[in-house]
Coordinates of all heavy atoms in Angstrom, one line a residue:
M1298 N 5.2 -23.6 0.4 CA 6.5 -23.5 -0.1 C 7.4 -22.9 1.0 O 7.1 -21.9 1.6 CB 6.5 -22.6 -1.4 CG 7.9 -22.3 -2.0 SD 7.8 -21.2 -3.4 CE 6.7 -22.2 -4.5
N1299 N 8.6 -23.5 1.2 CA 9.5 -23.0 2.2 C 10.1 -21.7 1.7 O 10.2 -21.4 0.5 CB 10.5 -24.0 2.7 CG 11.5 -24.4 1.6 OD1 12.2 -23.5 1.0 ND2 11.7 -25.6 1.4
L1300 N 10.7 -20.9 2.7 CA 11.2 -19.6 2.4 C 12.4 -19.7 1.4 O 12.5 -18.9 0.5 CB 11.7 -18.9 3.7 CG 12.4 -17.6 3.5 CD1 11.5 -16.6 2.8 CD2 12.8 -17.0 4.9
Q1301 N 13.3 -20.7 1.6 CA 14.5 -20.8 0.7 C 14.0 -21.0 -0.7 O 14.5 -20.4 -1.6 CB 15.3 -22.0 1.2 CG 16.5 -22.4 0.3 CD 17.7 -21.5 0.6 OE1 17.8 -20.8 1.6 NE2 18.7 -21.6 -0.3
D1302 N 13.0 -21.9 -1.0 CA 12.6 -22.1 -2.3 C 11.9 -20.9 -2.9 O 12.0 -20.6 -4.1 CB 11.6 -23.3 -2.4 CG 12.3 -24.6 -2.1 OD1 13.5 -24.7 -2.2 OD2 11.6 -25.6 -1.8
A1303 N 11.1 -20.2 -2.1 CA 10.4 -19.0 -2.5 C 11.3 -17.9 -2.9 O 11.2 -17.3 -3.9 CB 9.4 -18.5 -1.5
V1304 N 12.4 -17.7 -2.1 CA 13.4 -16.7 -2.4 C 14.1 -17.1 -3.7 O 14.3 -16.2 -4.6 CB 14.4 -16.5 -1.3 CG1 15.6 -15.7 -1.7 CG2 13.7 -15.9 -0.1
F1305 N 14.5 -18.3 -3.9 CA 15.2 -18.7 -5.1 C 14.3 -18.6 -6.3 O 14.8 -18.1 -7.4 CB 15.8 -20.2 -4.9 CG 16.6 -20.6 -6.1 CD1 17.8 -20.0 -6.4 CD2 16.1 -21.5 -7.0 CE1 18.6 -20.4 -7.5 CE2 16.9 -21.9 -8.1 CZ 18.1 -21.4 -8.3
N1306 N 13.1 -19.1 -6.2 CA 12.2 -19.0 -7.4 C 11.9 -17.5 -7.7 O 11.9 -17.1 -8.9 CB 10.8 -19.6 -7.0 CG 11.0 -21.1 -7.0 OD1 11.9 -21.7 -7.6 ND2 10.1 -21.8 -6.3
W1307 N 11.8 -16.6 -6.7 CA 11.6 -15.2 -7.0 C 12.9 -14.7 -7.7 O 12.8 -13.9 -8.7 CB 11.3 -14.4 -5.7 CG 11.4 -12.9 -5.9 CD1 10.5 -12.1 -6.5 CD2 12.6 -12.1 -5.7 NE1 10.9 -10.9 -6.6 CE2 12.2 -10.8 -6.1 CE3 13.8 -12.3 -5.1 CZ2 13.1 -9.7 -6.0 CZ3 14.7 -11.3 -5.0 CH2 14.3 -10.0 -5.5
L1308 N 14.1 -15.0 -7.2 CA 15.3 -14.6 -7.8 C 15.4 -15.0 -9.3 O 15.6 -14.1 -10.1 CB 16.5 -15.2 -7.0 CG 17.9 -14.9 -7.7 CD1 18.2 -13.5 -7.8 CD2 18.9 -15.7 -6.9
Q1309 N 15.1 -16.3 -9.6 CA 15.2 -16.7 -10.9 C 14.3 -16.0 -11.9 O 14.6 -15.5 -12.9 CB 14.9 -18.2 -11.0 CG 16.1 -19.1 -10.7 CD 15.9 -20.5 -11.1 OE1 14.8 -21.1 -10.9 NE2 16.9 -21.0 -11.8
I1310 N 13.0 -15.9 -11.4 CA 12.0 -15.2 -12.3 C 12.2 -13.7 -12.4 O 11.9 -13.1 -13.4 CB 10.6 -15.6 -11.9 CG1 9.6 -15.3 -13.1 CG2 10.1 -14.9 -10.7 CD1 9.9 -16.1 -14.4
S1311 N 12.8 -13.1 -11.4 CA 13.1 -11.7 -11.5 C 14.2 -11.4 -12.5 O 14.2 -10.4 -13.2 CB 13.4 -11.1 -10.1 OG 14.6 -11.5 -9.6
I1312 N 15.2 -12.3 -12.5 CA 16.2 -12.2 -13.6 C 15.6 -12.3 -14.9 O 15.9 -11.5 -15.8 CB 17.3 -13.3 -13.3 CG1 18.0 -13.0 -12.0 CG2 18.2 -13.4 -14.5 CD1 18.9 -14.2 -11.5
V1313 N 14.7 -13.3 -15.1 CA 14.0 -13.5 -16.4 C 13.2 -12.2 -16.8 O 13.3 -11.7 -17.9 CB 13.1 -14.7 -16.4 CG1 12.3 -14.8 -17.7 CG2 14.0 -16.0 -16.3
A1314 N 12.4 -11.7 -15.8 CA 11.5 -10.6 -16.1 C 12.3 -9.4 -16.4 O 11.9 -8.6 -17.3 CB 10.6 -10.3 -14.9
E1315 N 13.5 -9.2 -15.8 CA 14.3 -8.0 -16.1 C 14.9 -8.1 -17.5 O 15.0 -7.2 -18.3 CB 15.4 -7.9 -15.1 CG 16.3 -6.6 -15.4 CD 17.3 -6.5 -14.3 OE1 17.0 -6.2 -13.1 OE2 18.5 -6.6 -14.6
A1316 N 15.4 -9.3 -17.9 CA 16.0 -9.6 -19.2 C 15.0 -9.6 -20.3 O 15.3 -9.3 -21.5 CB 16.7 -10.9 -19.2
R1317 N 13.7 -9.9 -20.0 CA 12.7 -10.0 -21.0 C 11.5 -9.1 -20.6 O 10.4 -9.5 -20.2 CB 12.2 -11.4 -21.1 CG 13.3 -12.4 -21.5 CD 12.9 -13.9 -21.3 NE 11.7 -14.2 -22.1 CZ 11.7 -14.6 -23.3 NH1 12.8 -14.9 -23.9 NH2 10.6 -14.9 -24.0
P1318 N 11.7 -7.7 -20.7 CA 10.6 -6.8 -20.3 C 9.3 -6.9 -21.0 O 8.3 -6.5 -20.4 CB 11.3 -5.4 -20.5 CG 12.4 -5.7 -21.5 CD 12.8 -7.1 -21.3
D1319 N 9.3 -7.5 -22.1 CA 8.0 -7.7 -22.9 C 7.3 -9.0 -22.6 O 6.3 -9.3 -23.1 CB 8.2 -7.5 -24.4 CG 8.7 -6.1 -24.8 OD1 8.3 -5.2 -24.0 OD2 9.4 -6.0 -25.8
D1320 N 7.9 -9.8 -21.7 CA 7.4 -11.1 -21.4 C 6.4 -11.0 -20.2 O 6.8 -11.0 -19.1 CB 8.6 -12.1 -21.0 CG 8.2 -13.5 -20.8 OD1 7.0 -13.8 -20.5 OD2 9.0 -14.4 -20.9
L1321 N 5.1 -10.9 -20.6 CA 4.1 -10.7 -19.6 C 4.0 -11.9 -18.6 O 3.9 -11.7 -17.4 CB 2.7 -10.5 -20.2 CG 1.6 -10.3 -19.3 CD1 1.8 -9.0 -18.5 CD2 0.3 -10.1 -20.1
A1322 N 4.2 -13.1 -19.1 CA 4.2 -14.3 -18.2 C 5.3 -14.2 -17.1 O 5.1 -14.5 -16.0 CB 4.3 -15.6 -19.0
A1323 N 6.5 -13.8 -17.5 CA 7.6 -13.6 -16.6 C 7.3 -12.6 -15.5 O 7.5 -12.8 -14.3 CB 8.9 -13.3 -17.3
S1324 N 6.7 -11.4 -15.9 CA 6.4 -10.4 -14.9 C 5.3 -10.8 -14.0 O 5.3 -10.6 -12.8 CB 6.1 -9.1 -15.6 OG 5.0 -9.1 -16.4
E1325 N 4.3 -11.5 -14.5 CA 3.2 -12.0 -13.7 C 3.7 -13.1 -12.7 O 3.2 -13.1 -11.6 CB 2.1 -12.6 -14.6 CG 1.3 -11.5 -15.3 CD 0.2 -12.1 -16.3 OE1 0.3 -13.3 -16.6 OE2 -0.6 -11.3 -16.7
T1326 N 4.6 -14.0 -13.2 CA 5.1 -15.0 -12.3 C 6.0 -14.4 -11.2 O 6.0 -14.8 -10.0 CB 5.9 -16.0 -13.1 OG1 5.1 -16.6 -14.1 CG2 6.4 -17.1 -12.2
R1327 N 6.8 -13.3 -11.6 CA 7.6 -12.6 -10.5 C 6.6 -12.0 -9.5 O 6.9 -12.1 -8.3 CB 8.4 -11.5 -11.2 CG 9.2 -10.7 -10.2 CD 9.7 -9.4 -10.7 NE 8.5 -8.6 -11.1 CZ 8.4 -7.9 -12.2 NH1 9.4 -7.8 -13.1 NH2 7.3 -7.3 -12.5
D1328 N 5.6 -11.4 -9.9 CA 4.6 -10.8 -9.0 C 4.0 -11.9 -8.1 O 3.7 -11.6 -6.9 CB 3.5 -10.1 -9.8 CG 4.0 -8.9 -10.5 OD1 5.1 -8.4 -10.3 OD2 3.2 -8.3 -11.4
F1329 N 3.7 -13.1 -8.7 CA 3.2 -14.2 -7.9 C 4.1 -14.5 -6.8 O 3.7 -14.7 -5.6 CB 2.9 -15.4 -8.8 CG 2.6 -16.7 -8.1 CD1 1.4 -16.9 -7.5 CD2 3.6 -17.7 -8.0 CE1 1.1 -18.1 -6.8 CE2 3.3 -18.8 -7.3 CZ 2.1 -19.0 -6.8
F1330 N 5.4 -14.7 -7.1 CA 6.4 -15.0 -6.0 C 6.6 -13.9 -5.0 O 6.8 -14.1 -3.8 CB 7.7 -15.5 -6.6 CG 7.6 -16.9 -7.1 CD1 7.6 -17.2 -8.4 CD2 7.6 -18.0 -6.2 CE1 7.5 -18.5 -8.9 CE2 7.5 -19.3 -6.6 CZ 7.4 -19.6 -8.0
E1331 N 6.5 -12.7 -5.5 CA 6.5 -11.5 -4.5 C 5.4 -11.6 -3.6 O 5.5 -11.3 -2.4 CB 6.5 -10.2 -5.3 CG 7.9 -9.9 -6.0 CD 7.9 -8.6 -6.7 OE1 6.9 -7.9 -6.7 OE2 9.0 -8.4 -7.4
T1332 N 4.2 -12.0 -4.0 CA 3.0 -12.2 -3.2 C 3.3 -13.3 -2.1 O 3.0 -13.1 -1.0 CB 1.8 -12.5 -4.0 OG1 1.5 -11.3 -4.9 CG2 0.6 -12.7 -3.1
I1333 N 3.9 -14.4 -2.6 CA 4.2 -15.5 -1.6 C 5.1 -15.0 -0.6 O 5.0 -15.2 0.6 CB 4.8 -16.7 -2.4 CG1 3.7 -17.4 -3.2 CG2 5.4 -17.6 -1.4 CD1 4.2 -18.5 -4.1
L1334 N 6.2 -14.2 -1.0 CA 7.1 -13.7 0.0 C 6.5 -12.8 1.0 O 6.8 -12.8 2.2 CB 8.3 -13.0 -0.7 CG 9.2 -14.0 -1.5 CD1 10.2 -13.2 -2.4 CD2 9.9 -15.0 -0.6
R1335 N 5.6 -11.9 0.5 CA 4.9 -11.0 1.4 C 3.9 -11.6 2.3 O 3.9 -11.4 3.5 CB 4.3 -9.8 0.6 CG 5.2 -8.9 0.0 CD 4.5 -7.6 -0.6 NE 5.5 -6.7 -1.1 CZ 5.9 -6.7 -2.4 NH1 5.4 -7.5 -3.3 NH2 6.8 -5.8 -2.7
E1336 N 3.0 -12.4 1.7 CA 1.9 -12.9 2.4 C 2.2 -14.2 3.2 O 1.8 -14.3 4.4 CB 0.7 -13.2 1.5 CG 0.1 -11.9 0.9 CD -1.0 -12.1 0.0 OE1 -1.5 -13.3 -0.2 OE2 -1.5 -11.1 -0.6
D1337 N 2.9 -15.1 2.6 CA 3.2 -16.4 3.3 C 4.4 -16.3 4.3 O 4.4 -17.0 5.3 CB 3.4 -17.5 2.3 CG 2.2 -17.9 1.5 OD1 1.1 -17.3 1.7 OD2 2.3 -18.7 0.6
H1338 N 5.4 -15.5 3.9 CA 6.6 -15.4 4.7 C 6.7 -14.0 5.4 O 7.8 -13.8 6.1 CB 7.8 -15.7 3.8 CG 7.7 -17.1 3.3 ND1 8.0 -18.2 4.1 CD2 7.4 -17.6 2.1 CE1 7.9 -19.3 3.4 NE2 7.5 -18.9 2.1
H1339 N 5.8 -13.1 5.2 CA 5.8 -11.9 5.9 C 7.0 -11.0 5.7 O 7.5 -10.4 6.6 CB 5.5 -12.1 7.4 CG 4.3 -13.0 7.7 ND1 3.0 -12.6 7.4 CD2 4.3 -14.3 8.1 CE1 2.2 -13.7 7.7 NE2 3.0 -14.7 8.0
L1340 N 7.5 -11.0 4.5 CA 8.7 -10.2 4.2 C 8.2 -8.8 3.7 O 7.2 -8.7 3.0 CB 9.5 -10.8 3.1 CG 10.1 -12.2 3.3 CD1 11.0 -12.6 2.2 CD2 10.8 -12.3 4.7
E1341 N 8.9 -7.8 4.2 CA 8.5 -6.4 3.9 C 9.3 -5.9 2.7 O 8.9 -5.0 2.0 CB 8.6 -5.6 5.1 CG 7.6 -6.0 6.2 CD 7.7 -5.1 7.4 OE1 8.7 -4.3 7.6 OE2 6.8 -5.1 8.2
R1342 N 10.5 -6.4 2.6 CA 11.4 -5.8 1.6 C 12.3 -7.0 1.1 O 12.8 -7.8 1.9 CB 12.3 -4.7 2.2 CG 13.2 -4.0 1.3 CD 14.1 -3.0 2.0 NE 15.1 -3.7 2.9 CZ 16.2 -4.2 2.5 NH1 16.6 -4.1 1.3 NH2 17.0 -4.8 3.4
F1343 N 12.6 -7.0 -0.2 CA 13.6 -8.0 -0.7 C 14.2 -7.4 -2.0 O 13.5 -6.8 -2.8 CB 12.9 -9.4 -0.9 CG 11.5 -9.3 -1.4 CD1 11.3 -9.4 -2.8 CD2 10.5 -9.2 -0.6 CE1 10.0 -9.4 -3.3 CE2 9.2 -9.2 -1.0 CZ 8.9 -9.3 -2.4
V1344 N 15.5 -7.5 -2.1 CA 16.2 -7.0 -3.2 C 17.3 -8.0 -3.6 O 17.8 -8.8 -2.8 CB 16.9 -5.6 -2.9 CG1 15.8 -4.6 -2.7 CG2 17.8 -5.7 -1.8
R1345 N 17.7 -7.9 -4.9 CA 18.8 -8.8 -5.3 C 19.9 -8.0 -5.8 O 19.7 -6.9 -6.3 CB 18.3 -9.8 -6.4 CG 17.9 -9.1 -7.7 CD 17.5 -10.2 -8.7 NE 16.9 -9.5 -9.9 CZ 17.6 -9.2 -11.0 NH1 18.9 -9.3 -11.0 NH2 16.9 -8.6 -12.0
M1346 N 21.1 -8.5 -5.7 CA 22.3 -7.9 -6.1 C 23.2 -9.0 -6.7 O 23.1 -10.1 -6.3 CB 23.1 -7.2 -5.0 CG 22.3 -6.0 -4.4 SD 22.9 -5.6 -2.7 CE 22.3 -7.0 -1.8
A1347 N 24.0 -8.6 -7.7 CA 24.8 -9.6 -8.4 C 26.3 -9.2 -8.3 O 26.6 -8.0 -8.4 CB 24.4 -9.8 -9.8
D1348 N 27.2 -10.1 -8.2 CA 28.6 -9.9 -8.4 C 29.1 -11.0 -9.4 O 28.3 -11.6 -10.0 CB 29.4 -9.8 -7.1 CG 29.4 -11.1 -6.4 OD1 29.2 -12.2 -7.0 OD2 29.5 -11.1 -5.1
E1349 N 30.4 -11.2 -9.5 CA 30.9 -12.1 -10.5 C 30.3 -13.5 -10.4 O 30.0 -14.1 -11.4 CB 32.4 -12.1 -10.5 CG 33.0 -10.9 -11.0 CD 34.5 -10.9 -11.0 OE1 35.1 -12.1 -11.2 OE2 35.2 -9.9 -10.8
G1350 N 30.3 -14.1 -9.2 CA 29.9 -15.5 -9.1 C 28.6 -15.7 -8.3 O 28.2 -16.9 -8.3
T1351 N 28.0 -14.7 -7.7 CA 26.8 -15.0 -6.9 C 25.8 -13.9 -7.1 O 26.1 -12.8 -7.5 CB 27.2 -15.0 -5.4 OG1 27.7 -13.8 -5.0 CG2 28.2 -16.1 -5.1
Y1352 N 24.6 -14.3 -6.7 CA 23.5 -13.3 -6.5 C 23.3 -13.3 -5.0 O 23.3 -14.3 -4.3 CB 22.2 -13.7 -7.1 CG 22.1 -13.3 -8.6 CD1 22.5 -14.1 -9.6 CD2 21.6 -12.0 -8.9 CE1 22.5 -13.7 -10.9 CE2 21.5 -11.6 -10.2 CZ 21.9 -12.5 -11.2 OH 21.9 -12.1 -12.5
T1353 N 23.1 -12.1 -4.4 CA 22.7 -11.9 -3.0 C 21.3 -11.4 -3.0 O 21.0 -10.4 -3.6 CB 23.7 -11.0 -2.3 OG1 25.0 -11.5 -2.4 CG2 23.4 -10.8 -0.8
V1354 N 20.5 -12.0 -2.1 CA 19.1 -11.5 -1.9 C 19.1 -11.1 -0.4 O 19.4 -11.9 0.5 CB 18.1 -12.6 -2.2 CG1 16.7 -12.1 -1.8 CG2 18.1 -13.1 -3.6
E1355 N 18.8 -9.8 -0.3 CA 18.6 -9.3 1.1 C 17.1 -9.1 1.3 O 16.4 -8.6 0.4 CB 19.3 -7.9 1.3 CG 20.8 -8.0 1.2 CD 21.5 -6.7 1.4 OE1 20.8 -5.7 1.5 OE2 22.7 -6.7 1.5
Y1356 N 16.6 -9.6 2.4 CA 15.2 -9.4 2.7 C 15.0 -9.1 4.2 O 15.9 -9.3 5.0 CB 14.4 -10.6 2.3 CG 14.8 -11.9 3.0 CD1 14.2 -12.3 4.2 CD2 15.8 -12.7 2.4 CE1 14.6 -13.5 4.8 CE2 16.1 -13.9 3.0 CZ 15.5 -14.3 4.2 OH 15.9 -15.5 4.8
E1357 N 13.9 -8.5 4.5 CA 13.5 -8.0 5.8 C 12.2 -8.6 6.2 O 11.2 -8.4 5.5 CB 13.5 -6.5 5.8 CG 13.3 -5.9 7.2 CD 13.5 -4.4 7.1 OE1 14.4 -3.9 6.5 OE2 12.6 -3.7 7.8
E1358 N 12.2 -9.2 7.3 CA 10.9 -9.7 7.9 C 10.1 -8.6 8.5 O 10.7 -7.6 8.9 CB 11.2 -10.8 8.9 CG 11.9 -12.0 8.4 CD 12.1 -13.0 9.5 OE1 11.1 -13.3 10.3 OE2 13.2 -13.5 9.7
A1359 N 8.8 -8.8 8.7 CA 8.0 -7.9 9.5 C 8.7 -7.7 10.9 O 9.1 -8.7 11.4 CB 6.6 -8.4 9.6
G1360 N 8.8 -6.5 11.3 CA 9.5 -6.3 12.6 C 10.9 -5.9 12.4 O 11.6 -5.6 13.4
G1361 N 11.4 -5.9 11.2 CA 12.7 -5.3 10.9 C 13.9 -6.3 10.9 O 15.0 -5.8 10.8
V1362 N 13.7 -7.6 11.1 CA 14.8 -8.5 11.1 C 15.3 -8.7 9.7 O 14.5 -9.1 8.8 CB 14.4 -9.9 11.7 CG1 15.5 -10.9 11.7 CG2 13.8 -9.7 13.2
R1363 N 16.6 -8.5 9.5 CA 17.2 -8.6 8.1 C 17.9 -9.9 8.0 O 18.6 -10.3 8.9 CB 18.1 -7.4 7.9 CG 17.3 -6.1 7.8 CD 18.3 -4.9 7.5 NE 17.5 -3.7 7.5 CZ 18.0 -2.5 7.3 NH1 19.3 -2.4 7.2 NH2 17.3 -1.5 7.3
H1364 N 17.9 -10.4 6.7 CA 18.6 -11.6 6.4 C 19.2 -11.5 5.0 O 18.8 -10.7 4.2 CB 17.6 -12.8 6.3 CG 16.9 -13.1 7.6 ND1 17.5 -13.8 8.6 CD2 15.7 -12.7 8.1 CE1 16.6 -13.9 9.6 NE2 15.6 -13.2 9.3
T1365 N 20.2 -12.3 4.8 CA 20.9 -12.3 3.5 C 21.1 -13.8 3.0 O 21.4 -14.6 3.9 CB 22.3 -11.7 3.6 OG1 22.2 -10.3 4.0 CG2 23.0 -11.7 2.2
K1366 N 20.8 -14.1 1.8 CA 21.0 -15.4 1.2 C 21.8 -15.2 -0.1 O 21.6 -14.3 -0.8 CB 19.7 -16.1 0.9 CG 18.9 -16.5 2.1 CD 17.9 -17.6 1.8 CE 17.1 -18.0 3.0 NZ 17.9 -18.7 4.1
R1367 N 22.7 -16.1 -0.3 CA 23.6 -16.0 -1.5 C 23.3 -17.3 -2.3 O 23.1 -18.4 -1.8 CB 25.0 -16.0 -1.1 CG 25.4 -14.6 -0.6 CD 26.9 -14.5 -0.3 NE 27.3 -13.1 0.1 CZ 27.0 -12.6 1.3 NH1 26.3 -13.3 2.2 NH2 27.3 -11.3 1.6
F1368 N 23.3 -17.1 -3.6 CA 23.0 -18.1 -4.6 C 24.1 -18.1 -5.7 O 24.5 -17.0 -6.1 CB 21.6 -18.0 -5.2 CG 20.5 -18.0 -4.2 CD1 20.0 -16.9 -3.6 CD2 20.0 -19.2 -3.8 CE1 19.0 -16.9 -2.7 CE2 18.9 -19.3 -2.9 CZ 18.5 -18.1 -2.3
D1369 N 24.5 -19.3 -6.1 CA 25.4 -19.4 -7.3 C 24.8 -18.7 -8.5 O 23.6 -18.9 -8.8 CB 25.7 -20.8 -7.6 CG 26.5 -21.0 -8.8 OD1 27.8 -20.9 -8.6 OD2 26.0 -21.3 -9.9
R1370 N 25.6 -17.8 -9.1 CA 25.1 -17.0 -10.2 C 24.6 -17.9 -11.4 O 23.5 -17.7 -12.0 CB 26.1 -16.1 -10.7 CG 25.6 -15.1 -11.8 CD 26.6 -14.0 -12.1 NE 26.0 -13.1 -13.0 CZ 26.0 -11.8 -12.9 NH1 26.8 -11.2 -12.0 NH2 25.4 -11.0 -13.8
E1371 N 25.4 -19.0 -11.7 CA 25.0 -19.8 -12.8 C 23.6 -20.5 -12.6 O 22.8 -20.6 -13.4 CB 26.1 -20.9 -13.1 CG 25.8 -21.7 -14.3 CD 27.0 -22.6 -14.6 OE1 28.2 -22.3 -14.2 OE2 26.7 -23.7 -15.2
L1372 N 23.4 -21.0 -11.3 CA 22.2 -21.6 -11.0 C 21.0 -20.6 -11.0 O 19.9 -21.0 -11.5 CB 22.3 -22.3 -9.6 CG 23.1 -23.5 -9.5 CD1 23.2 -23.9 -8.0 CD2 22.6 -24.6 -10.3
A1373 N 21.3 -19.4 -10.5 CA 20.2 -18.4 -10.5 C 19.8 -18.0 -12.0 O 18.6 -17.7 -12.2 CB 20.7 -17.2 -9.8
E1374 N 20.8 -18.0 -12.9 CA 20.5 -17.6 -14.3 C 20.1 -18.8 -15.2 O 19.8 -18.6 -16.3 CB 21.7 -16.9 -14.8 CG 22.0 -15.6 -14.2 CD 23.3 -14.9 -14.6 OE1 24.1 -15.6 -15.3 OE2 23.4 -13.7 -14.3
Q1375 N 20.0 -20.0 -14.6 CA 19.7 -21.2 -15.4 C 18.3 -21.1 -16.1 O 18.1 -21.5 -17.2 CB 19.8 -22.4 -14.6 CG 19.6 -23.7 -15.4 CD 20.8 -23.8 -16.4 OE1 21.9 -23.7 -16.0 NE2 20.4 -24.1 -17.7
L1376 N 17.3 -20.6 -15.4 CA 16.0 -20.5 -16.0 C 16.0 -19.6 -17.2 O 15.5 -19.9 -18.3 CB 14.9 -19.9 -15.0 CG 13.5 -19.8 -15.5 CD1 12.9 -21.1 -16.0 CD2 12.6 -19.1 -14.4
L1377 N 16.7 -18.4 -17.1 CA 16.8 -17.5 -18.3 C 17.6 -18.2 -19.4 O 17.2 -18.2 -20.6 CB 17.5 -16.2 -17.9 CG 17.7 -15.2 -19.1 CD1 16.4 -14.8 -19.7 CD2 18.5 -14.0 -18.6
T1378 N 18.6 -18.9 -19.1 CA 19.4 -19.7 -20.1 C 18.5 -20.7 -20.8 O 18.5 -20.9 -22.0 CB 20.6 -20.4 -19.4 OG1 21.4 -19.4 -18.8 CG2 21.4 -21.2 -20.4
D1379 N 17.7 -21.4 -20.0 CA 16.8 -22.5 -20.6 C 15.8 -21.8 -21.5 O 15.5 -22.3 -22.6 CB 16.1 -23.3 -19.5 CG 17.1 -24.1 -18.7 OD1 18.2 -24.4 -19.1 OD2 16.7 -24.6 -17.6
I1380 N 15.2 -20.7 -21.1 CA 14.2 -20.0 -21.9 C 14.8 -19.5 -23.2 O 14.3 -19.7 -24.3 CB 13.5 -18.9 -21.1 CG1 12.7 -19.5 -20.0 CG2 12.7 -18.0 -22.0 CD1 12.2 -18.4 -19.0
N1381 N 16.0 -18.9 -23.1 CA 16.7 -18.4 -24.3 C 17.1 -19.5 -25.2 O 17.2 -19.2 -26.4 CB 17.9 -17.6 -23.9 CG 17.5 -16.2 -23.4 OD1 16.5 -15.7 -23.6 ND2 18.5 -15.6 -22.6
S1382 N 17.3 -20.7 -24.7 CA 17.8 -21.7 -25.6 C 16.6 -22.5 -26.3 O 16.8 -23.4 -27.1 CB 18.7 -22.7 -24.9 OG 17.9 -23.4 -23.9
N1383 N 15.4 -22.2 -25.9 CA 14.2 -22.9 -26.4 C 13.5 -22.0 -27.5 O 12.9 -21.0 -27.1 CB 13.2 -23.2 -25.3 CG 12.1 -24.1 -25.8 OD1 11.7 -24.1 -27.0 ND2 11.5 -24.8 -24.9
P1384 N 13.6 -22.3 -28.8 CA 13.0 -21.5 -29.8 C 11.5 -21.2 -29.7 O 11.0 -20.3 -30.2 CB 13.3 -22.3 -31.1 CG 14.2 -23.4 -30.8 CD 14.2 -23.5 -29.3
K1385 N 10.9 -22.1 -29.0 CA 9.4 -22.0 -28.8 C 9.1 -20.6 -28.1 O 8.1 -20.0 -28.3 CB 8.9 -23.1 -27.9 CG 7.5 -23.1 -27.5 CD 7.1 -24.3 -26.7 CE 5.7 -24.2 -26.2 NZ 5.3 -25.4 -25.4
Y1386 N 10.0 -20.2 -27.2 CA 9.8 -19.0 -26.4 C 10.5 -17.7 -26.9 O 10.5 -16.7 -26.3 CB 10.2 -19.2 -25.0 CG 9.5 -20.3 -24.3 CD1 10.1 -21.5 -24.0 CD2 8.1 -20.2 -24.1 CE1 9.4 -22.6 -23.4 CE2 7.4 -21.3 -23.5 CZ 8.1 -22.5 -23.2 OH 7.4 -23.5 -22.6
N1387 N 11.2 -17.8 -28.1 CA 12.0 -16.7 -28.5 C 11.9 -16.4 -30.0 O 11.8 -17.3 -30.8 CB 13.5 -17.1 -28.3 CG 13.8 -17.3 -26.8 OD1 13.8 -16.3 -26.1 ND2 14.0 -18.5 -26.4
N1388 N 11.9 -15.1 -30.2 CA 12.2 -14.6 -31.6 C 13.6 -14.2 -31.7 O 14.2 -14.3 -32.8 CB 11.3 -13.4 -31.9 CG 9.8 -13.9 -32.0 OD1 9.5 -15.0 -32.3 ND2 8.9 -13.0 -31.7
T1389 N 14.2 -13.8 -30.6 CA 15.6 -13.4 -30.6 C 16.2 -13.8 -29.2 O 15.5 -14.0 -28.2 CB 15.8 -11.9 -30.7 OG1 15.1 -11.2 -29.6 CG2 15.3 -11.4 -32.0
M1390 N 17.5 -14.0 -29.2 CA 18.2 -14.4 -28.0 C 18.4 -13.1 -27.1 O 18.7 -12.1 -27.7 CB 19.5 -15.1 -28.3 CG 19.3 -16.4 -29.0 SD 18.5 -17.7 -28.0 CE 19.9 -18.2 -27.0
I1391 N 18.4 -13.3 -25.8 CA 18.7 -12.2 -24.9 C 20.0 -12.5 -24.2 O 20.1 -13.6 -23.6 CB 17.6 -11.9 -24.0 CG1 16.3 -11.5 -24.8 CG2 17.9 -10.8 -23.0 CD1 15.1 -11.4 -24.0
D1392 N 21.0 -11.7 -24.2 CA 22.2 -11.9 -23.4 C 22.0 -11.6 -22.0 O 21.3 -10.7 -21.6 CB 23.3 -11.0 -23.9 CG 23.8 -11.4 -25.3 OD1 23.7 -12.6 -25.7 OD2 24.2 -10.5 -26.1
I1393 N 22.7 -12.4 -21.1 CA 22.7 -12.2 -19.7 C 24.0 -11.7 -19.2 O 25.0 -11.7 -19.9 CB 22.3 -13.5 -18.9 CG1 23.2 -14.6 -19.3 CG2 20.9 -13.8 -19.1 CD1 23.0 -15.9 -18.4

């Protein structure tokens, strides 16, 4: 998996895991993508921040090289929107 896809997948599932703290599958999937970022892409640190229209992911490679990627907020939150709109996965809706 390329770095761009891994970062975006981690971002989406971290949004879901935060919004759904009792969703074990979401937290396990977030952990899986964190492992990919650490082991396959040698990232030492990665964090996400949100503003009105974007999410920013800052990450640091081994050796201290820092990078920033920005993603459209609506696209980043789409997985959570899809999960919330599917009654199979919900007893209640969660606002984002």
Side-chain angles (χ1 to χ4, degrees):
M1298 176 178 304
N1299 69 49
L1300 178 59
Q1301 176 82 14
D1302 290 346
V1304 169
F1305 184 70
N1306 289 335
W1307 170 81
L1308 171 62
Q1309 280 196 309
I1310 198 62
S1311 69
I1312 292 167
V1313 172
E1315 182 178 294
R1317 300 170 58 91
D1319 295 331
D1320 186 336
L1321 183 59
S1324 62
E1325 288 175 348
T1326 304
R1327 181 201 55 222
D1328 294 348
F1329 169 75
F1330 281 107
E1331 287 179 3
T1332 299
I1333 289 173
L1334 292 172
R1335 285 191 179 94
E1336 293 180 3
D1337 294 357
H1338 298 286
H1339 311 289
L1340 302 187
E1341 295 181 345
R1342 181 186 70 85
F1343 36 95
V1344 296
R1345 68 178 168 90
M1346 297 161 285
D1348 64 28
E1349 287 184 33
T1351 63
Y1352 275 91
T1353 302
V1354 177
E1355 292 182 356
Y1356 59 92
E1357 186 174 319
E1358 294 180 52
V1362 179
R1363 293 182 181 174
H1364 300 274
T1365 301
K1366 292 201 179 292
R1367 287 184 175 73
F1368 300 93
D1369 177 80
R1370 187 172 185 137
E1371 187 175 333
L1372 289 175
E1374 292 174 348
Q1375 188 62 51
L1376 179 60
L1377 179 59
T1378 300
D1379 292 346
I1380 290 169
N1381 282 341
S1382 67
N1383 188 334
K1385 176 179 175 180
Y1386 301 112
N1387 295 291
N1388 290 332
T1389 60
M1390 297 292 282
I1391 298 172
D1392 291 327
I1393 53 174

